[in-house]
């Protein structure tokens, strides 16, 4: 009789032994942080008015698929995948503020759960659950979990891609594990190209493992080549549009890099606390610290370096995907420094209290439109209350982005106002910007009343295009003006309708 020798199972370096952890504990590992992030993000979810970028999401999601694809060929290709996803979501669940923001909330909560799973694999159970909780408490996680943009989804995609890479390294001969990693990484790039800079951290991790298995480079290389095949055409299209979209972002100096953590964390206190805990991170193996350290530090440094060319990409929100790495290191540091659960819990509670003012600030009504608050809802309420059939509207498009979209969003859908100087809508020309009437006098149709919406508190005619102001001055007088936060709502009445009264 020949007895077959049992081969040892493949080494799974990043899988700590959790056999002694009860099933309930394994579920709570990811469910606890997920529920915490979900609860924090849900609190005040609809309190802030939609931001200018969120209004772009609303506009794009309301277009049909062909129009979205046509638009991203002209502008904003880097967000095209997100717009397609949101189009499907809006078709199913509508375009209320709650509906528009829910995908980001779910993504932020999911990212907290994945961070906990990553922490368990890299540093152990205690560090994992602490990392997930610390991540959920970061004010920026709630802030962008409450915004109808792609950034929370990017955090989830990056964290998930990293987790899938660890699984692929557990069993590098499993092709489906590499395929799952490549898919998650491709989705990351399609959601936000800059997030692909996390590959620098992934390559560092692969390099550590490749010392034992040189064929690992081939497997990782094939996965990254597949990602490149998907993302490169998309990146080239986005690169051709970047000058039009990011012309306003200044090139960063050294101080910008120093103050970046406060912007990324949306809390200087929170950033300082988590970085201090991260510096205390400990591991018996080098690979976990290498992965998290390069993930946290290299992408911002790379973005800073390339932002000194023709175009600057240096914005805190663009490197938001590094937050999971900081949370992982902080979870390890807290688990190492505080051996008892009570001591660790006291640190978590202290952090929650320290960042409470930032959490409250992020839920203010105009926070999403800071630093230029515009109360679209109040302006829409004025029009709705005093509207008469046949009224028209003129929006300040001279130096104001999305003022028209904001007011239209908060007006009842059945209340229709002719946009006097609008020649073609953005959807009609597959763009984000309108085409206005070239000869304003010819676009006036003799309306008796026109609502004029302008940014700021200056005299309304001084806030709009001079040619449009001249056309209105010659035929209309300002009947009433109402100031709301950041805006002026004026009612213009035709001069002959007012008995030939002189223009104000």
């Amino acid at each position: 009789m020949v007895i077959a020798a049992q081969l040892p199972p493949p080494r799974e370096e990043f899988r700590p032994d959790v056999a002694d952890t009860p099933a309930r504990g394994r579920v709570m590992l990811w469910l606890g942080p997920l529920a915490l992030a979900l609860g924090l993000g849900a609190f005040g979810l609809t309190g802030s008015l939609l931001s200018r970028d969120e209004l772009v999401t609303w506009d794009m999601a309301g277009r049909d698929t062909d129009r979205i694809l046509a638009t991203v060929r002209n502008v904003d290709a880097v967000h095209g995948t997100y717009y397609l996803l949101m189009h499907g979501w809006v078709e199913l669940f509508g375009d209320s503020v709650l509906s528009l923001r829910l995908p980001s909330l779910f993504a932020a909560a999911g990212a907290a759960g994945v961070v906990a799973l990553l922490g368990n694999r890299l540093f152990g159970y205690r560090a994992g659950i602490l990392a997930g909780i610390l991540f959920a408490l970061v004010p920026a996680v709630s802030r962008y979990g409450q915004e109808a943009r792609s950034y929370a989804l990017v955090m989830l995609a990056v964290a998930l891609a990293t987790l899938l890479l660890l699984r692929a390294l557990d069993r590098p001969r499993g092709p489906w594990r590499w395929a799952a990693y490549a898919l998650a990484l491709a989705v990351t790039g399609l959601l936000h190209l800059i997030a692909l800079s996390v590959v620098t951290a992934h390559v560092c991790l692969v390099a550590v493992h490749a010392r034992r298995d040189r064929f690992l480079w081939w497997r990782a290389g094939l996965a990254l080549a597949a990602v490149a095949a998907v993302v490169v055409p998309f990146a080239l299209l986005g690169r051709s549009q970047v000058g039009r979209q990011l012309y306003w972002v200044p090139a960063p100096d050294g101080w910008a890099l120093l103050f970046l953590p406060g912007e990324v964390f949306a809390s200087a206190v929170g950033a300082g606390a988590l970085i201090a805990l991260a510096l205390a991170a400990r591991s018996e193996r080098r690979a976990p610290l290498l992965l998290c350290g390069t993930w946290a530090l290299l992408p911002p440094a790379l973005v800073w370096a390339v932002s000194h060319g023709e175009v600057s990409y240096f914005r805190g929100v663009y490197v938001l995907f590094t937050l999971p790495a900081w949370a992982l290191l902080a979870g390890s540091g807290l688990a190492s420094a505080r051996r008892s659960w009570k001591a660790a819990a006291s640190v978590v509670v202290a952090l929650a209290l320290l960042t409470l003012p930032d959490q409250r600030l992020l839920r203010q009504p105009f926070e999403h439109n800071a630093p230029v608050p515009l109360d679209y809802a109040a302006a829409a309420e004025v029009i709705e209350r005093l509207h008469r059939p046949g009224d028209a509207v003129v929006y300040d498009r001279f130096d104001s982005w999305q003022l028209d979209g904001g007011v239209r969003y908060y007006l009842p859908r059945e209340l229709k106002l002719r946009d006097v100087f609008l020649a073609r809508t953005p959807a009609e020309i597959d763009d984000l910007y309108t085409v206005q009437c070239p000869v304003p006098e010819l676009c006036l149709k003799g309306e008796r009343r026109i609502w004029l919406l302008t940014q700021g508190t200056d005299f309304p005619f001084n806030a709009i295009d001079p040619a449009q102001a001249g056309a209105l001055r010659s035929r209309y007088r300002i009947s009433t003006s109402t100031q709301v936060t950041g805006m002026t709502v004026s009612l213009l009445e035709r001069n002959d309708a007012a008995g030939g009264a002189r223009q104000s």
Side-chain angles (χ1 to χ4, degrees), residues 44-56:
L45 179 63
T46 61
S48 295
L49 297 180
L50 291 179
S51 69
R52 296 165 182 83
D53 285 347
E54 288 180 291
L55 291 167
V56 174

Side-chain angles (χ1 to χ4, degrees), residues 43-54 101 139-140 142-148 262-267 315 356-376 410 485:
F43 182 75
L45 179 63
T46 61
S48 295
L49 297 180
L50 291 179
S51 69
R52 296 165 182 83
D53 285 347
E54 288 180 291
R101 289 176 175 171
S142 294
R143 167 65 176 81
Y144 291 99
Q146 295 184 343
E147 178 154 300
E263 184 180 351
V264 173
F265 285 78
S267 167
R315 296 185 64 206
L356 184 60
D358 295 305
Q359 294 279 11
R360 294 181 62 184
L361 177 64
L362 294 174
R363 289 163 174 78
Q364 295 301 308
F366 308 115
E367 178 58 28
H368 284 214
N369 266 325
V372 184
L374 299 175
D375 197 341
Y376 307 122
Y410 287 98
T485 301

